[in-house]
Amino acid sequence: MTSWGRVARGTQVTTRPRFRDLLPATLEANGALSGTSVLPLGLARSYGDSCLNSEGRLVDMTGLDRVIAFDAGTGILRAEAGVSLSALLSLVVPRGYFLPTTPGTRFVTLGGAVANDVHGKNHHLAGSFGCSVRRLRLLRSDGSRLSLSPEESPALFAATIGGLGLTGMIEWLELSLRPIGSAYLDTENLAFGGLEEFFALSAESAETWEHCVSWVDCAAGERSLGRGIFMRGRHRDDGALRAHRDKGGLSVPLELPSFLLNRYSLGAFNALYHALGKRKQGLARTHYESFFYPLDAIRQWNRLYGRRGLYQYQCLVPPETAADAVAALLRRVAASGEGSFLAVLKTFGDKRSPGLLSFPREGTTLALDFVNRGAATLKLLGTLDEIVCQAGGRVYPAKDGRMPAAVFRQGYPDWQRFAEQVDPGFSSDFWRRVAA
Amino acid sequence: MSRAETGARVIVLGALSAIAEATARLHAAEGARFILAGRDETRLGQVAADLEARGAASCLCRSLDLAAAADSYAAFDEMVEALGGVDYVYLFYGLLGDQDAAERDLAAARDIVRVNFSSAAEWCLAAARRLQAQGSGVLLVASSVAGDRGRQSKPLYGAAKSGLTVLVQGLAHRLAPSGARAVAVKIGFVDTPMTAGSAKGGPLWVTPEQIAPKLRRFADGKRPVVYAPWFWRWIMLVIRLVPAPIFHRTKL
Ligand SMILES: Cc1cc2nc3c(=O)[nH]c(=O)nc-3n(C[C@H](O)[C@H](O)[C@H](O)COP(=O)(O)OP(=O)(O)OC[C@H]3O[C@@H](n4cnc5c(N)ncnc54)[C@H](O)[C@@H]3O)c2cc1C
Ligand SMILES: NC(=O)c1ccc[n+]([C@@H]2O[C@H](COP(=O)([O-])OP(=O)(O)OC[C@H]3O[C@@H](n4cnc5c(N)ncnc54)[C@H](OP(=O)(O)O)[C@@H]3O)[C@@H](O)[C@H]2O)c1
């Protein structure tokens, strides 16, 4: 059993109930009532240890993958928590709906999307995933089954959105979908030469472009610091409602030897990516599959990072400090010669996330991945933490497998209020690390 | 019957099986109309709601113990009437059972035979009767590679599935002149609740979602007895060829 980053590994007892009525017995059988901790698991697309529970048990929720009700008139959908975004899209796109927001992979479950209160390229308009959750059913280890909504049960609802699976098992949830007139988007790629241009493009696009994200060259030296490609898109209205297909695609069959990823290959890749992006600038008509999920086209791409796996580092810094902090982070990464293929930069809007531990808030987020080179990598990430903390920012638990407790507590000042809502029968490796 | 045909009438005996549900979803996407038969009413309702959201034109549920029907002919005819005819009949319910328990307790032994063979045989006869009379439609039965060679770990289950395969093979022969068909699928290792006790992983294991499209295809195919996935044909060939003195030294 391992998460997407493949750093932490271990065998782990998992059970996979296929019907909702089995959940209470599943909790009992796994000891959630008798001292062993339990953690619900989705599709394990979290990178670090927030979806692992090496001292307890995991309950694989993907067997609960049924739609309960879908109203094609209002776009309100109620479905079990194990339904994947991919399955959901195949169902609702032909009927003219899309997810309210989506992360960069469609192979995550609804439960996982709620538990990390995930964000997408449209955060500046739609807010986080939790903003579109109307209601959910939570099973606690004391046997209670609660129907939570922001109005009726604000405290537990706010703890469960972004609650990292620690407040109980989400059985099902109800979501408002976004109506679309096409499965295609008008997209535009623009090269930018530095952070100032990036912030200007973000501000200029915020109102008229629903989806915005940027790739940034994190190997670039001082002269081209913060250069990148700004990608924006908005749904078309041409009536072409063709959903993606999950079959086929490429898969990485083997782990790549990690020495292939070094300062030179990374620098070369980034320079090439920038040059190609610059050449491909301009408008296009793009299917949602390639716009939102380019990485899903290569299954198990995480194996490219070799036997020891990878660390993701995603942080968020508030608007006041964003420009300086992002520059400082990029400088630090470029100087280290470590650093990533796909560094992603995006500004978040001011729509409040509903969760106590929700990662998104107004500001700028930067996501990087690093080959795991042991102590050296951890040291580098530690220095990034310092920059983020000084800027009043935070690090994303979904992508994290090592942030020190102090960094977590500073980034999430509501964590103690959250802790009061944690179900005593639930825990995770992440939670033991940051809260114990 | 073409695959694209919408509104096909589908009866699923054992609709709560993981493989059954994955297969039914493929029919749902084609707009099928269903009868879903299984034991638990609430779960049947959940499966039905999901299939309807996935495109099924309608789902009727029949909650019953399929291994204890007093009159399978009458029960089956009722299902066909309720659907207004039938195009696909799937038989998925089954019981792996516990061989050691069966040896201690004959009631448990009888259960394995009754669930996997005797009751299933009655439903197969009931289905064949209707399909033959109408001269169209297909009966697809979930059998198992376990029926290809008796093994010490599951001799009863293997025998029951072996009997089932031969029964369906015989019915296929019998139906052939009418235009209706019967198919026995010898399924290999699938990760479902039935196999929850086994160590899984490795190249032989597949998911219900992987096996379902094959079953869907076999339902429209020509062959009366097939392996799924295909490689089991060759694995079982080898297993059948191993001489008894050597085979008896294994723990299979
Ligand atoms: C390529 C890639 C791109 C990504 N892009 C983004 C992005 O753009 N934005 C973003 O926000 N994230 C992104 N992520 C992270 C990913 O969206 C989150 O980690 C997501 O939560 C994973 O969902 P999952 O179903 O795999 O859940 P898991 O990783 O299995 O679990 C995540 C958490 O959800 C909990 N959980 C799962 N099911 C339930 C349930 N039924 N009830 C209660 N708790 C439950 C678990 O306990 C765990 O705490 C990306 C990940 C990858 C691999
Ligand atoms: N999984 C494999 O590796 C494998 C391999 C070869 C063949 N098969 C065959 O494939 C078929 C489907 O099995 P599966 O793997 O999908 O397992 P499964 O999910 O455990 O399904 C078995 C189903 O049979 C039902 N059932 C058992 N006795 C019944 C009865 N008396 N009345 C009504 N329903 C009854 C069970 O219902 P309850 O929940 O009510 O018990 C359950 O839904 C079975 O015939 C099995 O023998 C499976």
Side-chain angles (χ1 to χ4, degrees):
Chain A
M1 174 68 215
T2 176
S3 59
W4 194 251
R6 307 173 78 245
V7 173
R9 292 160 200 241
T11 47
Q12 174 90 78
V13 183
T14 41
T15 38
R16 187 172 182 272
R18 255 177 48 77
F19 293 96
R20 272 179 272 151
D21 59 90
L22 293 170
L23 291 177
T26 303
L27 281 185
E28 187 164 1
N30 285 285
L33 287 58
S34 48
T36 312
S37 71
V38 162
L39 185 73
L41 177 72
L43 281 164
R45 280 330 193 261
S46 299
Y47 282 78
D49 55 359
S50 65
C51 62
L52 300 177
N53 189 20
S54 55
E55 289 175 23
R57 307 283 181 90
L58 290 174
V59 178
D60 178 346
M61 302 298 282
T62 58
L64 299 174
D65 67 343
R66 298 182 190 88
V67 176
I68 298 171
F70 173 52
D71 183 339
T74 58
I76 292 174
L77 174 113
R78 184 180 285 198
E80 291 177 344
V83 172
S84 73
L85 300 189
S86 188
L88 197 60
L89 286 170
S90 337
L91 224 108
V92 303
V93 167
R95 294 183 222 180
Y97 286 97
F98 202 75
L99 293 161
T101 187
T102 175
T105 170
R106 63 182 185 274
F107 300 117
V108 311
T109 62
L110 288 174
V114 170
N116 274 317
D117 196 11
V118 300
H119 57 269
K121 300 177 166 121
N122 60 349
H123 182 275
H124 55 287
L125 296 176
S128 63
F129 196 84
C131 293
S132 306
V133 174
R134 296 160 47 95
R135 182 172 284 283
L136 58 84
R137 168 77 81 94
L138 191 71
L139 171 68
R140 307 264 290 178
S141 65
D142 62 10
S144 56
R145 286 180 131 145
L146 310 162
S147 176
L148 306 181
S149 73
E151 298 80 29
E152 297 156 35
S153 32
L156 195 50
F157 186 85
T160 300
I161 304 289
L164 302 172
L166 298 167
T167 63
M169 266 173 188
I170 303 170
E171 290 185 28
W172 54 253
L173 52 111
E174 199 176 281
L175 200 63
S176 315
L177 300 173
R178 181 205 184 289
I180 47 168
S182 172
Y184 290 82
L185 299 102
D186 285 320
T187 58
E188 186 172 29
N189 287 357
L190 304 158
F192 56 86
L195 289 176
E196 225 167 281
E197 271 180 66
F198 161 78
F199 284 108
L201 275 170
S202 300
E204 167 208 315
S205 311
E207 267 165 44
T208 46
W209 292 86
E210 181 176 352
H211 302 280
C212 298
V213 72
S214 296
W215 168 83
V216 56
D217 182 347
C218 64
E222 197 56 39
R223 270 201 8 254
S224 37
L225 188 80
R227 70 173 180 185
I229 312 286
F230 193 93
M231 296 167 263
R232 55 192 188 184
R234 53 190 167 211
H235 282 280
R236 291 171 59 88
D237 207 9
D238 56 18
L241 291 168
R242 183 181 71 77
H244 69 280
R245 308 194 104 228
D246 271 340
K247 280 233 212 80
L250 298 168
S251 171
V252 178
L254 290 170
E255 289 163 334
L256 216 63
S258 49
F259 66 81
L260 289 177
L261 298 181
N262 54 42
R263 180 186 285 263
Y264 306 102
S265 64
L266 280 167
F269 174 89
N270 277 277
L272 186 68
Y273 194 89
H274 187 75
L276 286 177
K278 222 167 163 173
R279 190 136 20 109
K280 276 200 326 200
Q281 284 192 82
L283 284 160
R285 175 175 181 267
T286 313
H287 191 261
Y288 72 79
E289 181 180 3
S290 39
F291 183 69
F292 291 113
Y293 311 116
L295 286 174
D296 287 347
I298 307 166
R299 304 291 152 85
Q300 299 191 293
W301 59 262
N302 51 349
R303 289 182 175 170
L304 291 172
Y305 285 80
R307 168 97 212 128
R308 299 175 72 187
L310 76 147
Y311 282 105
Q312 262 265 336
Y313 188 86
Q314 182 168 2
C315 60
L316 175 132
V317 282
E320 314 81 73
T321 53
D324 291 343
V326 172
L329 289 164
L330 288 175
R331 245 179 228 119
R332 189 72 202 75
V333 171
S336 76
E338 307 275 323
S340 46
F341 288 122
L342 296 171
V344 174
L345 192 60
K346 158 148 191 71
T347 50
F348 283 161
D350 59 5
K351 197 157 173 185
R352 243 190 108 250
S353 303
L356 287 177
L357 290 192
S358 291
F359 168 69
R361 54 156 288 185
E362 193 177 9
T364 302
T365 180
L366 174 67
L368 306 150
D369 39 46
F370 298 93
V371 184
N372 174 19
R373 297 193 213 280
T377 313
L378 290 172
K379 191 162 160 241
L380 169 66
L381 300 184
T383 63
L384 301 184
D385 283 345
E386 279 169 32
I387 301 173
V388 171
C389 285
Q390 234 158 44
R394 53 171 59 151
V395 178
Y396 191 8
K399 311 263 177 107
D400 176 69
R402 48 101 247 156
M403 89 168 96
V407 173
F408 172 74
R409 292 172 185 195
Q410 188 188 329
Y412 298 88
D414 281 333
W415 77 274
Q416 274 165 317
R417 267 174 66 211
F418 170 79
E420 288 164 17
Q421 305 284 347
V422 168
D423 186 309
F426 285 61
S427 192
S428 67
D429 289 354
F430 175 84
W431 188 240
R432 278 185 289 273
R433 184 156 54 74
V434 301
Chain B
M1 228 168 310
S2 83
R3 290 193 68 181
E5 182 184 337
T6 54
R9 295 153 300 183
V10 182
I11 294 179
V12 190
L13 303 169
L16 298 177
S17 117
I19 305 176
E21 191 172 2
T23 310
R25 284 180 180 179
L26 301 176
H27 278 287
E30 299 167 15
R33 288 186 283 143
F34 287 97
I35 296 264
L36 305 174
R39 272 197 284 220
D40 188 301
E41 197 172 352
T42 315
R43 294 181 186 177
L44 283 171
Q46 292 170 359
V47 171
D50 175 71
L51 292 175
E52 283 173 0
R54 289 173 194 263
S58 64
C59 294
L60 298 171
C61 299
R62 295 288 180 270
S63 62
L64 74 160
D65 182 341
L66 289 161
D71 184 345
S72 305
Y73 278 16
F76 191 80
D77 286 346
E78 184 278 325
M79 294 180 196
V80 178
E81 303 314 326
L83 263 187
V86 64
D87 303 302
Y88 295 89
V89 182
Y90 285 98
L91 190 148
F92 274 113
Y93 74 97
L95 173 70
L96 193 55
D98 175 347
Q99 179 65 24
D100 294 337
E103 278 163 28
R104 284 192 304 272
D105 173 10
L106 271 180
R110 230 172 270 138
D111 263 357
I112 296 179
V113 180
R114 190 172 56 99
V115 174
N116 293 305
F117 184 71
S118 355
S119 68
E122 288 183 29
W123 291 110
C124 289
L125 291 175
R129 202 171 68 127
R130 290 297 296 226
L131 298 181
Q132 186 171 28
Q134 69 183 34
S136 69
V138 58
L139 163 69
L140 185 144
V141 175
S143 194
S144 171
V145 294
D148 274 15
R149 180 166 192 169
R151 294 170 301 133
Q152 61 86 26
S153 57
K154 298 268 177 255
L156 261 180
Y157 174 77
K161 287 293 191 187
S162 185
L164 190 61
T165 303
V166 174
L167 173 82
V168 175
Q169 188 177 37
L171 291 175
H173 188 182
R174 202 177 168 84
L175 291 177
S178 75
R181 289 181 314 104
V183 187
V185 184
K186 297 190 203 174
I187 300 175
F189 296 164
V190 189
D191 183 356
T192 71
M194 179 174 278
T195 48
S198 331
K200 298 178 185 181
L204 297 183
W205 285 89
V206 296
T207 62
E209 290 70 33
Q210 288 170 320
I211 203 96
K214 305 183 197 310
L215 302 184
R216 177 70 193 84
R217 232 180 9 256
F218 294 145
D220 287 343
K222 288 201 165 61
R223 289 178 292 169
V225 179
V226 275
Y227 288 90
W230 60 271
F231 51 76
W232 282 98
R233 178 174 177 189
W234 306 107
I235 295 176
M236 294 319 294
L237 179 67
V238 171
I239 288 188
R240 281 199 311 271
L241 288 176
V242 177
I246 297 173
F247 197 74
H248 289 174
R249 267 182 256 148
T250 70
K251 283 235 152 49
L252 285 172

